[in-house]
Amino acid sequence: MSKSFDVVVIGGGPGGYIAAIRAAQLGFNVACIDEWKNDKGGPAPGGTCTNVGCIPSKALLQSSEHFEHAGHHFAEHGIGLSDLTIDVAKMIGRKNTVVKQNNDGILYLFKKNKVSFFHGRGSFAQAVEGGYEITVAGAATESLTAKQVIVATGSTARALPGAAFDEDKVLSNDGALRIGAVPAKLGVIGSGVIGLEMGSVWRRLGAEVTILEAMPGFLGAADEGVAKEALKAFQKQGLKFEFGVKISKVDTSGAGVLVSYADAKGAEQTLAVDKLIVSIGRVANTTGLNAEAVGLQLDERGAIVVDGDCRTNLPGVWAVGDVVRGPMLAHKAEEEGVAVAERIAGQHGHVDFSIIPWVIYTSPEIAWVGRTEQQLKADGVAYKAGQFPFMANGRARALGDTTGFVKFLADAKTDEILGVHIVGPYASELISEAVVAMAFKASAEDIARICHAHPSLSEATKEAALAVDKRTLNF
Ligand SMILES: Cc1cc2nc3c(=O)[nH]c(=O)nc-3n(C[C@H](O)[C@H](O)[C@H](O)COP(=O)(O)OP(=O)(O)OC[C@H]3O[C@@H](n4cnc5c(N)ncnc54)[C@H](O)[C@@H]3O)c2cc1C
């Protein structure tokens, strides 16, 4: 006997669980199906983000940053420590606790919002009159019918051809977040967000980290000035980079991993490491969805084809998050989930893709919103730039973290903010002001005229806005 729902969401990551909650708030009878299992085989909703992504990576970044501060920066404050140790098992245990708190939090939210949760794999069985039949394969097999289906099945790590993940020596994000002991030498392939964050964690804990990148330059999506400043800081910390490499072989037959590659000049090189993290991108995950049963259209990369409003080719079937086009970011997935639930309710849900913030939680942190200076040049937009260094910010000096700057890009004629780029302390938090400003189409002058608390890092934002008109007060 099939259980019927107004809305069935397949996938309980940030795209799916948020869509389910919003749909329930709007008065629908909602089910959410998620197959993630915790180490005891129980449900672990929250998807990649909660289990092997955003949340655990930030937990380990925090722990490793404490370790680095204790080892290298406490002394500047007059705090002496002898016998500094790191208990990796405890650090990983704390990370697991943080993950579980988030899993449990989502289960609680489902209860609170009366979302029926099903633990298992959801797949399309067939189209039925007025909707779809969805099979849930879990501890038992169940059948659900749904008037509307939201697919939010996320993504998985892309493997390097010829180097399948074994999560022992060749690690995806999953294995990289549970290495049992600090490796003496760690290789990372890919200098994107995940490679930089994971590389930073293990370097802080004592690993010698080498990052191999196929692209000739660093962080192509970021503003060039920010990328240059960040690279300088990372290299100073001891992260080693090689750009423009071409990997030819990954050999795990010995004790460690041997990576053979041609360097930027074409010379053959070998990197010997104990562990290798491969972070070369992620692929949309539609495994097990049985998309063929209903004719759900996928593109050549396996992502679900959607329009700007997340509608698929099938009536009443929507898709959000990493499984569709666009940036693979948790907050983008969430916004799409909310918008789709509202569209199902006949409202005008909207996601403004031009002001989705990007954050890299390294030290210094990197965050931006809007267009970069090189994009504005390429688009032929006349702009003004203003920059303010954290070196001249009182709070940053007090924190002992003066790396980096805030940079504003504003329209040369109208002064409307076109992009804000931050490299430095708490960039992840500071960027919100810029997102709000851009959402309200603010000018640089608007920010420059607003009173910012003193002493705060946000004063660097105000000063960068003042710098657009060359009238900084503290630099
Ligand atoms: C190491 C790392 C760090 C990251 N850090 C950040 C960050 O700091 N900030 C940020 O914004 N983003 C970050 N991301 C990206 C972020 O995790 C993703 O963009 C986000 O999780 C996408 O959400 P989603 O709901 O689309 O998919 P997912 O989170 O992947 O969730 C999909 C869920 O669907 C389930 N599922 C799949 N198929 C089925 C099926 N057939 N039936 C039932 N369940 C199914 C999966 O098990 C999973 O639970 C990070 C990613 C990684 C790997």
Side-chain angles (χ1 to χ4, degrees):
M1 177 62 187
S2 184
K3 293 178 182 155
S4 63
F5 293 91
D6 298 322
V7 180
V8 168
V9 183
I10 306 179
Y17 90 79
I18 289 291
I21 289 173
R22 184 71 189 118
Q25 284 176 347
L26 290 162
F28 293 113
N29 179 18
V30 183
C32 183
I33 310 166
D34 188 83
E35 65 177 344
W36 207 293
K37 290 190 179 114
N38 61 25
D39 52 5
K40 296 189 180 70
T48 302
C49 168
T50 300
N51 292 293
V52 291
C54 324
I55 301 298
S57 59
K58 266 81 258 178
L60 294 189
L61 279 157
Q62 191 62 53
S63 300
S64 60
E65 193 165 8
H66 284 324
F67 183 70
E68 175 145 288
H69 277 246
H72 299 283
H73 303 296
F74 277 12
E76 297 157 21
H77 297 261
I79 303 169
L81 277 175
S82 55
D83 235 8
L84 185 65
T85 59
I86 175 79
D87 181 341
V88 174
K90 194 159 181 184
M91 185 184 77
I92 300 283
R94 173 188 176 274
K95 180 262 301 180
N96 293 341
T97 304
V98 173
V99 167
K100 185 162 186 315
Q101 285 164 348
N102 282 272
N103 297 142
D104 291 348
I106 295 167
L107 289 170
Y108 161 78
L109 290 171
F110 281 157
K111 267 209 187 99
K112 181 182 160 203
N113 290 281
K114 302 193 173 46
V115 172
S116 302
F117 176 69
F118 292 87
H119 188 213
R121 172 167 287 190
S123 58
F124 285 101
Q126 57 177 334
V128 293
E129 207 188 320
Y132 298 86
E133 183 187 341
I134 308 289
T135 305
V136 185
T141 300
E142 300 193 64
S143 168
L144 317 182
T145 52
K147 291 182 194 143
Q148 303 274 336
V149 180
I150 304 174
V151 181
T153 46
S155 63
T156 51
R158 183 192 300 280
L160 199 66
F165 296 119
D166 59 17
E167 304 300 2
D168 173 32
K169 287 189 198 166
V170 181
L171 313 172
S172 70
N173 54 297
D174 182 7
L177 288 160
R178 51 185 169 84
I179 300 177
V182 181
K185 289 187 179 203
L186 175 69
V188 178
I189 300 186
S191 67
V193 181
I194 296 170
L196 287 173
E197 291 188 359
M198 291 298 92
S200 294
V201 165
W202 296 103
R203 181 206 55 77
R204 290 170 188 168
L205 299 176
E208 186 185 317
V209 179
T210 305
I211 301 183
L212 301 179
E213 168 61 55
M215 299 301 284
F218 182 57
L219 279 184
D223 186 86
E224 274 169 7
V226 165
K228 209 169 142 199
E229 178 82 1
L231 181 61
K232 210 169 57 185
F234 297 148
Q235 285 172 328
K236 201 167 148 205
Q237 291 162 4
L239 280 177
K240 290 187 192 147
F241 291 87
E242 277 216 48
F243 296 103
V245 309
K246 200 162 181 257
I247 311 285
S248 49
K249 194 174 172 201
V250 173
D251 180 359
T252 55
S253 59
V257 186
L258 289 178
V259 185
S260 306
Y261 63 96
D263 67 17
K265 292 189 183 122
E268 284 305 318
Q269 306 285 353
T270 305
L271 176 72
V273 290
D274 302 300
K275 307 256 181 208
L276 180 70
I277 297 174
V278 177
S279 49
I280 55 169
R282 298 183 60 81
V283 279
N285 173 30
T286 50
T287 321
L289 195 58
N290 203 18
E292 322 76 69
V294 286
L296 180 63
Q297 194 190 346
L298 310 181
D299 69 14
E300 62 291 349
R301 294 168 305 118
I304 297 175
V305 177
V306 289
D307 67 8
D309 286 346
C310 296
R311 284 189 181 82
T312 69
N313 64 314
L314 301 175
V317 180
W318 311 74
V320 301
D322 280 11
V323 79
V324 304
R325 46 75 197 120
M328 289 189 173
L329 293 168
H331 41 285
K332 175 265 194 185
E334 292 180 14
E335 293 302 309
E336 286 183 332
V338 167
V340 163
E342 292 177 352
R343 284 173 198 134
I344 291 173
Q347 299 182 359
H348 300 280
H350 176 67
V351 181
D352 185 348
F353 289 96
S354 70
I355 52 166
I356 292 176
W358 290 79
V359 179
I360 307 177
Y361 294 80
T362 42
S363 178
E365 290 188 348
I366 300 167
W368 73 89
V369 58
R371 285 187 278 174
T372 60
E373 198 162 348
Q374 64 267 26
Q375 281 170 337
L376 293 176
K377 279 185 188 148
D379 295 348
V381 178
Y383 66 92
K384 299 176 285 180
Q387 192 165 311
F388 187 83
F390 284 106
M391 187 73 88
N393 174 272
R395 183 74 195 281
R397 286 197 204 111
L399 283 173
D401 193 353
T402 53
T403 314
F405 53 79
V406 181
K407 173 172 171 178
F408 264 62
L409 300 169
D411 188 282
K413 272 208 197 97
T414 65
D415 198 37
E416 181 178 342
I417 303 167
L418 303 175
V420 176
H421 304 270
I422 309 177
V423 51
Y426 297 100
S428 56
E429 301 295 331
L430 294 173
I431 199 65
S432 292
E433 180 180 3
V435 180
V436 173
M438 288 183 70
F440 287 95
K441 307 271 180 230
S443 63
E445 187 185 352
D446 287 329
I447 299 301
R449 285 187 179 278
I450 292 170
C451 179
H452 288 65
H454 176 76
S456 71
L457 296 170
S458 71
E459 287 173 293
T461 306
K462 177 186 169 107
E463 290 272 6
L466 282 165
V468 167
D469 277 331
K470 302 198 173 22
R471 53 188 190 96
T472 51
L473 297 165
N474 284 286
F475 184 62

